[in-house]
Structure formats: structure tokens, C-alpha cells
Amino acid sequence: EQVTLLKNDVSNGAMTAEAANQNLKTWSDSRYKELETELPGHAQKNLKNYWAENFNRQTSGFLPLQLRADVQKGSVLADRYGEIATRLERTKGREYLESNLTTLNLSEADKQARIYGYESGRDQLSIDDRITVALQGKDVASLQGLLTDLGGGKFGYLDGKQIQQNKDRVASRIDALNTQLKAEENKRVSEAGKFLNEYKSNVLTGRAQDADYEANVSKLVAGTEHEQEFNFLKSQSVNFQRFANKSTSEQQALINEQKAKMKNSPSAKAADEERILGVYQSIYSEKLQTAKTNPNQTVREAGLKVNDLGGMLLKTDTNSWIDGAIENGVSQLALKDANISVKPISAEDLPEAKMAFDAKSVDQKLNFIGGLIGKSKGIKNGASIWGAVLGQLG
């Protein structure tokens, strides 16, 4: 019974063979002394010989159990070392695995098999990584290169079956990716007109175009019937921006100049010149309309500050409202655009401002008018500013 318990501990790796031997010897000596006193003298020698023989026979079984336990423990550790090695760079991972395997009680064949297993695993991981990167980048050429490497013996730790399986896998990915790319290309070509129209609308506003957006549209229309139109618009985009930043008077002068040039001069690009003139006229018409109906918006587009002139400010702080109105009028006149209308109150503020003004008493209205006139003194064309304010308020 004692031997069985000790063998179980040795088999589980909880005790070494040497410790089991010592444990059994201590127990055996103690037990023998107990039995020896109970036997007659002539039987003691036989018991001693029998006892020693059995002790030696039993202890010889401990070492094989320890060796087997060491192998089992070593196998578990070897598996763990293999897992850790795969997280390292390939060469460093192999060095780590080899150095740790030397400390384990495993056969050389087992150690070599684990190293080969590590290398074949790294080969497979390399293949998987290359497939993933190629698919993410939609890179058919990289997959073709991988297929070539599979047939060229680059992955020497994989057997023939594994190589063929990977070849089939890569070939399948190539077919699938080609199908996807073809569908995407067909979609791109069919939608190129839509992207061009959006870009055209943006360019015709006369505003600067975001570089990334412009580059993306360029890719979307490349190789399609819309590419030429895109390149034309892109080449003229800066000119449209410059034209849009001029005053309506300057714009009108440039349009007239261009019309005269087109009428009196021969040209090899008459169609392009007509298109450019059409864009100029469109930008001019829109800016002219804004200058006449909402001059504060023209001021904003020029980069100047516009004061809000809502009804609440007119009720609670009339002086500040008047200051803001005068400043808005000065800003409008500062643009020096002959076509601009002086309207200090923005269209969005006008309804509330009218209500607030109408709600004032006669004396309050007179004080308000006096304040407008007083704060306009000394300002060039000040009368036109306070007159415009009163005209807006009715």
C-alpha cells in the first residue's frame, strides 16, 4: 500500500524517485523494527532477508515512473514554449524554442519534430499573413507572387499536400478578388458621370476644392468618357476661384472683355472658351443676386465680420444694435462694388427687427432715428447707411 501511494506521487510528478526511495526506506526501517520485536530469533534473519529483497524490488520501479512523468511534464512545457516562440520574430522564436527544449527530458527525435513543427507553422503563418494583406489591399499581383513562391520551394517545411492545399486556396482568392475588382470597376464606370456632375457643381461655385476630394474624383473617372471633362474643369478651377473673388463690377468687365475677344479673334478652342464664359456668367449672376438681395452674405464671403441685428438686441440694447448696423453698412460699402445694395440688416434678422421697431413708442422711435443719424456722422456715405436701415425697417 505504501509503495502504491509513493508510485502515484512519482507518476504525478509530485515526488522524485530519489525522494520516494528515501521515504520508503524511512517507513520500511520503522515498520521492520516494529515487526522484528514480535518474531522469534530464528525467524528474524529470514524476515530481514525477505524484507530487504522486497524493498529493493519495489524501489527499482520508481525511476521509470519519474522518467515518464518528466517526459509528460516536458511535453506540456514544450507545447507552451512553442506557443510563445510563434509570437516572436521567426529566427528569434526558433532560438528561444531550441534553448528551452535542451532543458527538457524529451527524446532528440521529439525535440527535432517540435522544431520542424515550429518552422512549418511559421511557413503557414507567413502564407496566411500574405493572403490577408493582399486581400485587404485588393492586390492580385501579390497573390500571384505568393502562388509563384508556393511552387518554387520557398516554403520548405510544408509537405506536398500542404503546399497543394495552399495553392488551391490562393488560386481561389485570386479568382474571387478578380471578380470583385471587375464588379467594382463596372460600378465605377457606370457611376463616373454622377461623380463628375457633383464635382462640376462644386467647381462652378468658384470655391477652392479639397485636394483629397479632387484626387478621389480623378480616380473615379479615370479611363471613362468623363475623364476629359474632369481634366478641363480641374485645369480651370483656379481661374474660376479667382473670378469668384472679384467684385461684380470687375466680373462684368471681364465678361465683356472675353465676349469681345471671342467675337473679334480666331480660336482653335472656341468650344472651351464658350464653356468658360458660361461659367463666368453663372458665377456673376449668382454673386450679383446675392449683392443686391443679401449684401451681408457678400461681406461674409469677403472675410469680414457681420453683426447680428435681431429683435431682442434692439429691445434690450438699442445703442449696441445701432453700432452693429452702422458697422455692417460700412463693411458693405468697403467692398466698393457698384452693384451692391446697402442693407445693414440681414434678411434672417429683418422680421424680428421690424417687430421690435414697430413696438417702440413715438419718442423711442425718434430717439432711435436720432441715434442712427448721430453715430453716422463723420462716416463717408453715412447718410446712405442710416437711410438704408430706416428703409429696411419701413
Side-chain angles (χ1 to χ4, degrees):
E1 180 182 358
Q2 184 69 11
V3 169
T4 299
L5 293 173
L6 291 171
K7 282 185 175 181
N8 185 59
D9 287 342
V10 175
S11 296
N12 291 334
M15 185 180 293
T16 64
E18 182 180 356
N21 283 338
Q22 187 60 44
N23 193 307
L24 182 60
K25 185 177 187 306
T26 301
W27 178 87
S28 175
D29 289 346
S30 175
R31 185 66 176 136
Y32 175 76
K33 289 180 180 179
E34 293 176 5
L35 295 173
E36 187 177 37
T37 59
E38 301 174 3
L39 295 175
H42 69 275
Q44 289 181 1
K45 184 177 181 181
N46 288 337
L47 176 62
K48 186 174 183 179
N49 292 336
Y50 174 79
W51 198 267
E53 181 183 343
N54 274 277
F55 174 81
N56 291 332
R57 185 171 67 250
Q58 295 294 345
T59 56
S60 65
F62 288 138
L63 185 57
L65 292 176
Q66 179 187 326
L67 294 176
R68 187 169 66 187
D70 288 345
V71 170
Q72 292 174 339
K73 181 180 178 182
S75 181
V76 172
L77 288 174
D79 289 342
R80 182 58 177 161
Y81 294 146
E83 292 173 0
I84 295 173
T86 58
R87 302 172 192 169
L88 306 175
E89 185 273 328
R90 184 164 183 168
T91 301
K92 290 182 178 179
R94 174 161 179 162
E95 292 172 354
Y96 171 84
L97 181 60
E98 286 180 329
S99 65
N100 282 283
L101 287 177
T102 57
T103 65
L104 303 179
N105 186 21
L106 298 174
S107 68
E108 289 303 314
D110 189 2
K111 293 177 182 178
Q112 197 61 45
R114 289 179 181 277
I115 292 173
Y116 286 152
Y118 165 78
E119 291 290 359
S120 64
R122 294 308 292 257
D123 273 354
Q124 188 60 55
L125 283 174
S126 177
I127 293 170
D128 294 344
D129 288 344
R130 288 177 63 176
I131 291 175
T132 299
V133 172
L135 291 178
Q136 288 175 343
K138 298 180 181 179
D139 190 350
V140 176
S142 291
L143 291 176
Q144 292 285 7
L146 176 57
L147 197 59
T148 300
D149 289 343
L150 284 167
K154 185 170 182 178
F155 302 99
Y157 287 95
L158 299 181
D159 59 32
K161 182 179 179 181
Q162 291 172 313
I163 291 293
Q164 188 57 50
Q165 287 175 339
N166 280 295
K167 280 184 177 180
D168 294 341
R169 181 181 168 209
V170 174
S172 175
R173 297 294 189 278
I174 290 174
D175 290 341
L177 187 53
N178 278 329
T179 300
Q180 179 186 350
L181 291 174
K182 185 176 180 180
E184 290 178 352
E185 177 64 10
N186 291 338
K187 181 181 179 183
R188 180 186 71 84
V189 171
S190 65
E191 293 183 340
K194 181 186 75 172
F195 296 124
L196 175 68
N197 287 335
E198 292 174 354
Y199 176 73
K200 184 176 181 179
S201 297
N202 289 332
V203 169
L204 296 188
T205 62
R207 295 182 60 189
Q209 302 301 304
D210 179 77
D212 290 338
Y213 165 71
E214 200 165 54
N216 186 50
V217 176
S218 178
K219 291 179 182 178
L220 292 170
V221 302
T224 72
E225 60 183 310
H226 305 288
E227 184 175 14
Q228 184 177 359
E229 175 77 1
F230 168 80
N231 289 333
F232 170 77
L233 291 170
K234 182 181 178 182
S235 67
Q236 294 298 324
S237 179
V238 173
N239 292 331
F240 295 155
Q241 292 169 39
R242 290 172 180 166
F243 182 83
N245 289 330
K246 295 181 180 299
S247 69
T248 57
S249 302
E250 292 172 321
Q251 288 177 346
Q252 189 172 30
L254 286 173
I255 288 174
N256 292 336
E257 182 182 332
Q258 182 66 17
K259 284 181 177 179
K261 179 181 178 182
M262 290 170 61
K263 184 176 181 179
N264 300 316
S265 303
S267 173
K269 297 181 179 179
D272 287 348
E273 290 176 356
E274 285 285 353
R275 291 163 66 189
I276 294 171
L277 179 61
V279 174
Y280 285 171
Q281 289 176 323
S282 174
I283 294 173
Y284 167 73
S285 296
E286 184 175 345
K287 188 162 187 175
L288 181 63
Q289 179 68 14
T290 302
K292 289 181 176 299
T293 60
N294 192 11
N296 274 339
Q297 179 60 30
T298 305
V299 171
R300 290 189 186 94
E301 291 174 1
L304 300 178
K305 175 188 173 184
V306 172
N307 297 296
D308 295 330
L309 301 175
M312 183 58 67
L313 182 63
L314 183 53
K315 290 178 183 179
T316 59
D317 192 349
T318 302
N319 287 331
S320 294
W321 192 97
I322 291 173
D323 289 338
I326 299 300
E327 185 177 354
N328 284 356
V330 170
S331 295
Q332 291 171 8
L333 292 171
L335 297 180
K336 296 188 180 302
D337 191 326
N339 292 312
I340 199 167
S341 299
V342 179
K343 293 182 178 180
I345 308 171
S346 299
E348 60 270 23
D349 291 333
L350 187 56
E352 287 187 4
K354 279 186 175 182
M355 291 177 62
F357 178 73
D358 290 342
K360 288 181 178 294
S361 66
V362 174
D363 288 341
Q364 288 174 330
K365 288 179 180 179
L366 290 174
N367 289 334
F368 171 78
I369 294 171
L372 269 175
I373 296 172
K375 291 193 176 185
S376 299
K377 287 181 179 179
I379 296 176
K380 187 177 180 179
N381 296 316
S384 64
I385 296 175
W386 67 256
V389 172
L390 293 179
Q392 284 186 281
L393 293 174

